[in-house]
Amino acid sequence: MAERKKIDILAVDDRVENLLAIESIIDSDEINLTKALSGNEALSLMFDYDFALVLMDVQMPGMDGFETAELMRGSDKTRHIPIIFITAINKEKKHIFRGYDAGAVDYIFKPFEPDILLSKVNVFIDLYLQRNTLEELTRKLETTISELIQSREQLKLSEEKYKDIFQNANEGIFILRNNIILFNNPKTEEILAGKSQNLLQKNFLDFIHPEFKRMLESEHFDKLRKKSHDKRTAIKIISGQEDIKWVEINSVNINWEGEKALLNFISDISERKQAEEEIKRAKNLAEQASRTKSEFLANMSHEIRTPLNGIIGMTELVLMSQLNEEQKERIEAVKYSGESLLDIINDILDISKIEARKLELDAIKFSLRGVIEKVLRPLASKTAAKNLELILDIQYKLHDTFIGDPVRLRQILFNLLGNAIKFTEEGEVKLSVKSIRQESDLCTLGFSISDTGIGIPDNKIGNLFKSFSQADNSTSRKFGGTGLGLVISKSLVEMMNGKVDVKSVEGKGSTFTFDITIQKSSSPGEQSDTEILPQLREKNVLIVDDNNTNRKILSGLLTNLNIQYELADNGGVAFDKILRQSRTNNPFDIILLDYHMPVMDGIEMAELLKRENKINPKPDIILLSSDDVSLKRSKLSSYGISRYMIKPVFRNDLIKVLNEVVSHDDYNTPIQKVLKPKMGFSLGKSYNVLLAEDNLINQKLANGLLQNLGCKVTIVDNGKKAVEIANENTFDIIFMDIQMPEMDGYEATGIIRDMEKTKGTHTPIIAMTAHAMKGDREKCINAGMDEYITKPISLKSLTDAIIKVNINPNS
């Protein structure tokens, strides 16, 4: 008995690990799995193999899965090969339809179930074997029957030889003339009648389902009468006792007993059609699930953004009032915390956008150091609570102003640094930033986040960048987290033309690195706080810190500023140096003193220096601390401390504080220095504003922000009242909430626009809403609104929106 030939299957994926995963699932002696890493490689293999099935990844560099499938469909050799797309993205209907248009017979979404994949592969292997058998028999029969018809004598000689094949073929074979069956094999009877039955002289159309009779005659038989063609047509038939089947018919023109006739081959494809219907139902269910998810995300976003609007906005209003430094920084901490909660909401929305390939990046001017500071400030309290050192190491003279998306860069850094802090119990977390290369106005920035935490086992690193996944299930139970941060960060980095890498030693820590290519801004950032006073270069500074990395960074900053310094790694060594140096002509003028040190902390050392009479004059002490919670600022001056700084120390902040110390700026109240309110935004005009908002806190917030911009504000709590008061009064601008009782913002805007048509006026309307999903902006604009801002609102977002609509005040 001849050995059965192996069945060839092609797997196409640009990631080797995915191909290996498929190979481990399809592990059979009967299957030969061929692997390709690109669409081009896959197409080249088509000429060397007769593939029964292609498992194709959609998203590949160069040529994606859709393009590869379309090219396969363009070739006679490969157009009938079934393709199953295996993908982690593009669950939207238009992408699925594109896949089916390209020739796909099925979709499997990553991560896939091995049993499901294997089951579907087996189905198509069976279909392949059946098809090969049928095609082989068909070819033999077509050749044989043509020869039999041409030569009766040859038919008589060969009749017995082919009778068995004809009688036992797994495909119905029959001859038609004027739709009347003149000849058929037993399989035809089984398919058409459901049992053995004499079909001779019966009209073939009587078996055809009414829905397909006209199509069969016009699209199949009529074309055959005009020109021979090899076309398989799928139709429904009524078999036996009203049993409806799907069949596929193929016909060719022949001569039968001296007259034209049709030789037909028919096969039962009911199982295949049933499988297609199941696929269609599954696709519809997936689309419904996607719509349900989108609706849920939209509602969740709205419900959470509304109270967050009050939290973040009210803290912004408080920050505009007179506060001392301690009050200002604590209110800022509340604001940063609210923004962090907003980041979590955005994470959930972002992962949905990433899966649908709808995430877009902004291109605006921003300060790199400003972005980093916004990330590190709220994280400093977390590291302080865990007694960790949070260290920042930025390359000296690194360009600061760039054109890109600062919000997304901040999101990446916040995710990676937040993870590092979460998984580190002792030691330090360090952020390093440097320029890797520069080409014209493009700069590739390298970021490194290293920690001394729990580390990651080698066999778990592969799970890090999967949605809703962490290195180990126990990790989420112990440390918390959604498991989305790294997935989003990786996608954002790749959108910025970069890549993410991770190296880790279990039990010793991890280092995440990523690079992004970004455009430099030609206009420099503000330089007001970056120039040091000349007298600083005459001062002698002592750096006291038990952390070696901190000492290196601070000494590097002072070296870059041409300020002389010495180092001490604990309070005892520092005190001896200060005492010894005080007897020379070059005593220490400034002490950069770490708060948290073993044996003798910064406060204890400051007290010791204050009591020591041999040291005169006393050096100015700048206390450095990552703990902004337990630090009693009101008592710092009593210890002889002139200034304090929260770690990590930024270069511009250090220069500013050093300048203040040497210029003796307000020496008597350094710790409780009151900050005057700082606007930062101005319209330059006074506007008469109508505010439609049903939430009381949001009313107070928007009213406070608009009044700070010099606006006169009238408030209503629903759309109906907004319509009434807008009809009776003239406003320069209307801020319209979308979701309100009695009448929502869309309907109210429509009525106002109708009223304005008769008056010949147009009042700018700005949507002010917690709806932040894709398409919400377009919906507002289509409703007749001029601009759109999302909650939480801010002074900047209000200012920008008013400037964009370019209005002239009526007053």
Side-chain angles (χ1 to χ4, degrees):
M1 183 176 179
E3 184 178 351
R4 183 174 175 178
K5 183 182 176 182
K6 285 191 174 183
I7 297 170
D8 290 311
I9 293 178
L10 175 62
V12 188
D13 199 302
D14 62 311
R15 297 178 66 89
V16 174
E17 59 268 29
N18 290 342
L19 293 175
L20 293 176
I22 293 172
E23 186 177 40
S24 67
I25 295 168
I26 308 173
D27 184 17
S28 171
D29 294 334
E30 296 180 356
I31 296 174
N32 176 36
L33 181 67
T34 303
K35 301 182 284 294
L37 291 168
S38 68
N40 283 326
E41 185 180 357
L43 292 173
S44 68
L45 291 169
M46 292 294 172
F47 297 98
D48 300 324
Y49 295 86
D50 180 21
F51 292 112
L53 176 66
V54 177
L55 303 174
M56 179 95 69
D57 184 30
V58 171
Q59 190 179 30
M60 294 185 293
M63 183 190 300
D64 64 19
F66 294 141
E67 294 169 328
T68 306
E70 288 167 357
L71 289 172
M72 287 174 59
R73 286 294 169 262
S75 170
D76 290 336
K77 180 175 176 14
T78 59
R79 64 182 178 181
H80 293 306
I81 300 175
I83 300 171
I84 298 178
F85 279 134
I86 301 179
T87 179
I89 59 172
N90 292 334
K91 294 182 181 175
E92 283 203 350
K93 179 168 67 178
K94 64 178 183 179
H95 295 293
I96 293 174
F97 281 163
R98 184 183 173 188
Y100 287 119
D101 289 340
V105 298
D106 203 353
Y107 260 87
I108 297 178
F109 295 100
K110 300 177 182 176
F112 52 75
E113 290 292 333
D115 291 341
I116 294 177
L117 175 62
L118 187 58
S119 175
K120 293 192 176 186
V121 168
N122 286 334
V123 169
F124 285 100
I125 287 175
D126 290 340
L127 291 174
Y128 171 80
L129 293 173
Q130 291 181 22
R131 188 189 72 188
N132 279 2
T133 302
L134 293 175
E135 288 179 351
E136 183 178 357
L137 288 172
T138 299
R139 286 192 297 269
K140 290 180 179 179
L141 289 170
E142 288 174 351
T143 303
T144 302
I145 293 171
S146 296
E147 292 173 353
L148 289 172
I149 294 172
Q150 292 173 6
S151 175
R152 291 179 178 273
E153 289 184 6
Q154 193 174 3
L155 174 62
K156 292 177 181 178
L157 294 173
S158 305
E159 184 178 13
E160 293 300 325
K161 179 178 178 182
Y162 294 105
K163 183 178 180 181
D164 188 56
I165 296 175
F166 180 75
Q167 294 293 326
N168 294 289
N170 199 32
E171 188 172 27
I173 303 168
F174 60 100
I175 294 174
L176 291 178
R177 183 184 293 131
N178 298 326
N179 297 330
I180 301 300
I181 299 173
L182 304 178
F183 183 80
N184 65 272
N185 71 342
K187 190 65 177 180
T188 304
E189 297 173 2
E190 179 185 331
I191 294 173
L192 294 182
K195 59 183 179 179
S196 295
Q197 181 178 324
N198 187 6
L199 299 179
L200 297 179
Q201 299 303 314
K202 290 193 176 180
N203 193 322
F204 176 63
L205 294 182
D206 291 343
F207 297 94
I208 307 302
H209 193 283
E211 294 177 9
F212 290 86
K213 283 187 179 181
R214 180 172 295 180
M215 184 275 288
L216 181 67
E217 289 190 277
S218 61
E219 294 296 322
H220 189 77
F221 291 147
D222 283 354
K223 288 183 178 180
L224 274 168
R225 294 186 185 102
K226 297 174 184 176
K227 183 179 179 182
S228 294
H229 70 100
D230 180 14
K231 180 184 178 183
R232 294 183 178 274
T233 303
I235 57 173
K236 280 184 182 179
I237 65 169
I238 302 174
S239 173
Q241 300 298 318
E242 302 299 319
D243 182 21
I244 297 175
K245 294 180 182 178
W246 276 98
V247 297
E248 192 171 67
I249 184 172
N250 185 27
S251 306
V252 293
N253 290 303
I254 62 169
N255 283 319
W256 178 261
E257 296 179 346
E259 295 184 37
K260 290 183 178 181
L262 290 176
L263 174 62
N264 303 275
F265 303 87
I266 190 170
S267 58
D268 189 338
I269 60 168
S270 299
E271 289 186 4
R272 192 184 82 189
K273 281 293 184 179
Q274 184 179 356
E276 290 174 359
E277 288 298 320
E278 289 175 357
I279 291 171
K280 189 182 295 184
R281 284 195 294 271
K283 179 172 69 69
N284 291 336
L285 287 173
E287 291 170 356
Q288 178 61 41
S290 179
R291 287 192 295 270
T292 302
K293 182 184 74 172
S294 297
E295 291 170 2
F296 168 75
L297 290 175
N299 290 333
M300 181 194 70
S301 172
H302 179 274
E303 293 301 324
I304 299 179
R305 283 174 184 269
T306 298
L308 270 181
N309 182 48
I311 295 170
I312 298 173
M314 285 300 181
T315 55
E316 189 170 346
L317 282 177
V318 174
L319 288 169
M320 294 177 191
S321 60
Q322 288 194 349
L323 303 169
N324 60 41
E325 284 190 24
E326 182 176 4
Q327 292 170 330
K328 179 177 180 293
E329 290 191 11
R330 293 191 188 282
I331 293 298
E332 284 178 340
V334 175
K335 183 170 180 285
Y336 285 139
S337 297
E339 290 172 345
S340 297
L341 182 56
L342 187 61
D343 287 340
I344 294 174
I345 301 166
N346 289 334
D347 275 354
I348 299 171
L349 298 176
D350 284 348
I351 199 68
S352 179
K353 292 178 183 177
I354 289 170
E355 289 178 351
R357 302 183 74 175
K358 290 184 178 180
L359 194 66
E360 298 174 357
L361 296 180
D362 288 331
I364 61 175
K365 178 183 172 183
F366 70 93
S367 163
L368 175 63
R369 289 174 176 83
V371 168
I372 293 171
E373 183 173 0
K374 275 192 172 183
V375 173
L376 294 183
R377 287 303 185 206
L379 293 176
S381 59
K382 291 184 178 181
T383 55
K386 299 178 74 171
N387 291 321
L388 302 176
E389 287 286 349
L390 181 57
I391 300 168
L392 172 64
D393 184 11
I394 300 182
Q395 187 179 43
Y396 304 133
K397 297 184 179 179
L398 178 64
H399 190 82
D400 187 58
T401 52
F402 295 91
I403 304 295
D405 195 325
V407 174
R408 295 305 184 185
L409 177 57
R410 176 173 174 263
Q411 187 176 4
I412 297 167
L413 291 171
F414 198 90
N415 283 337
L416 295 178
L417 282 165
N419 275 353
I421 294 168
K422 182 194 300 184
F423 300 121
T424 303
E425 297 299 331
E426 60 181 19
E428 65 184 40
V429 174
K430 179 182 175 183
L431 169 63
S432 301
V433 188
K434 64 181 180 180
S435 172
I436 298 177
R437 60 180 174 273
Q438 297 190 39
E439 297 177 6
S440 184
D441 62 341
L442 293 178
C443 180
T444 299
L445 298 175
F447 298 82
S448 173
I449 295 91
S450 58
D451 63 64
T452 56
I454 62 175
I456 308 163
D458 289 341
N459 62 343
K460 301 294 184 181
I461 288 179
N463 290 331
L464 290 177
F465 298 102
K466 295 179 181 177
S467 299
F468 305 100
S469 176
Q470 293 181 331
D472 192 282
N473 289 336
S474 61
T475 302
S476 58
R477 292 194 296 270
K478 181 177 180 182
F479 296 98
T482 62
L484 294 176
L486 290 179
V487 183
I488 295 170
S489 297
K490 180 176 182 290
S491 297
L492 291 176
V493 168
E494 289 172 350
M495 290 177 70
M496 296 180 185
N497 301 312
K499 61 180 180 180
V500 182
D501 190 25
V502 56
K503 294 180 180 177
S504 183
V505 178
E506 190 173 4
K508 292 186 178 181
S510 305
T511 299
F512 284 80
T513 57
F514 71 92
D515 61 87
I516 61 172
T517 300
I518 195 167
Q519 182 182 350
K520 293 193 294 185
S521 172
S522 57
S523 56
E526 295 183 4
Q527 300 293 324
S528 59
D529 293 331
T530 60
E531 298 298 326
I532 67 169
L533 296 176
Q535 56 264 42
L536 264 173
R537 294 194 171 91
E538 302 172 3
K539 302 297 181 181
N540 191 15
V541 178
L542 177 63
I543 299 171
V544 187
D545 199 310
D546 64 303
N547 184 281
N548 182 54
T549 307
N550 275 336
R551 291 197 303 273
K552 285 182 179 179
I553 291 172
L554 288 172
S555 62
L557 288 173
L558 294 183
T559 299
N560 182 252
L561 297 172
N562 294 321
I563 299 173
Q564 60 176 323
Y565 65 88
E566 290 189 30
L567 302 171
D569 59 5
N570 62 65
V573 172
F575 183 78
D576 291 342
K577 281 195 172 189
I578 295 168
L579 191 62
R580 185 169 58 253
Q581 201 71 19
S582 66
R583 303 188 188 103
T584 70
N585 294 327
N586 188 27
F588 290 113
D589 303 291
I590 301 171
I591 312 295
L592 295 178
L593 179 61
D594 184 33
Y595 178 16
H596 291 288
M597 293 187 294
V599 185
M600 182 189 299
D601 65 26
I603 298 295
E604 292 170 337
M605 181 182 165
E607 287 184 296
L608 184 61
L609 286 175
K610 185 177 182 181
R611 292 195 304 267
E612 180 54 65
N613 296 325
K614 294 178 182 179
I615 302 174
N616 197 24
K618 307 289 186 187
D620 289 297
I621 299 175
I622 301 173
L623 188 68
L624 309 178
S625 173
S626 57
D627 185 358
D628 192 33
V629 179
S630 62
L631 192 65
K632 302 296 183 182
R633 304 185 191 190
S634 59
K635 295 182 178 181
L636 293 182
S637 57
S638 64
Y639 303 136
I641 296 171
S642 303
R643 297 287 190 277
Y644 74 93
M645 297 184 70
I646 300 300
K647 290 182 177 181
V649 175
F650 293 86
R651 180 178 183 273
N652 286 358
D653 291 344
L654 179 62
I655 293 172
K656 180 180 178 181
V657 171
L658 290 173
N659 283 344
E660 288 177 356
V661 168
V662 298
S663 62
H664 298 278
D665 179 22
D666 198 9
Y667 245 52
N668 294 324
T669 58
I671 308 303
Q672 292 291 336
K673 184 176 180 180
V674 175
L675 302 176
K676 294 181 179 179
K678 190 174 182 180
M679 288 291 295
F681 299 96
S682 175
L683 296 173
K685 299 176 183 178
S686 177
Y687 294 102
N688 187 18
V689 175
L690 173 61
L691 171 65
E693 168 65 66
D694 65 305
N695 184 282
L696 183 59
I697 294 177
N698 289 342
Q699 286 179 3
K700 292 180 180 180
L701 168 60
N703 183 44
L705 293 174
L706 289 168
Q707 286 185 354
N708 269 283
L709 290 172
C711 297
K712 178 185 176 183
V713 185
T714 301
I715 301 174
V716 294
D717 60 7
N718 64 60
K720 185 177 180 182
K721 292 179 182 178
V723 171
E724 293 171 353
I725 199 167
N727 189 38
E728 297 169 358
N729 299 273
T730 301
F731 294 96
D732 296 312
I733 192 166
I734 299 172
F735 281 94
M736 184 75 73
D737 185 30
I738 296 301
Q739 194 165 315
M740 293 184 291
E742 293 194 49
M743 183 184 293
D744 64 26
Y746 297 125
E747 186 178 355
T749 299
I751 296 174
I752 291 172
R753 291 297 182 233
D754 289 340
M755 293 190 306
E756 288 177 337
K757 289 178 182 177
T758 60
K759 298 178 181 179
T761 60
H762 181 90
T763 305
I765 300 177
I766 298 176
M768 189 171 62
T769 174
H771 292 286
M773 295 293 288
K774 185 78 172 178
D776 286 329
R777 176 185 178 84
E778 290 74 13
K779 190 175 180 181
C780 292
I781 300 302
N782 292 336
M785 302 181 192
D786 299 87
E787 191 51 58
Y788 163 96
I789 58 176
T790 60
K791 297 175 181 177
I793 61 172
S794 66
L795 197 64
K796 183 179 186 303
S797 64
L798 288 175
T799 306
D800 291 345
I802 293 173
I803 292 172
K804 282 182 181 178
V805 296
N806 191 26
I807 53 176
N808 294 314
N810 294 303
S811 56

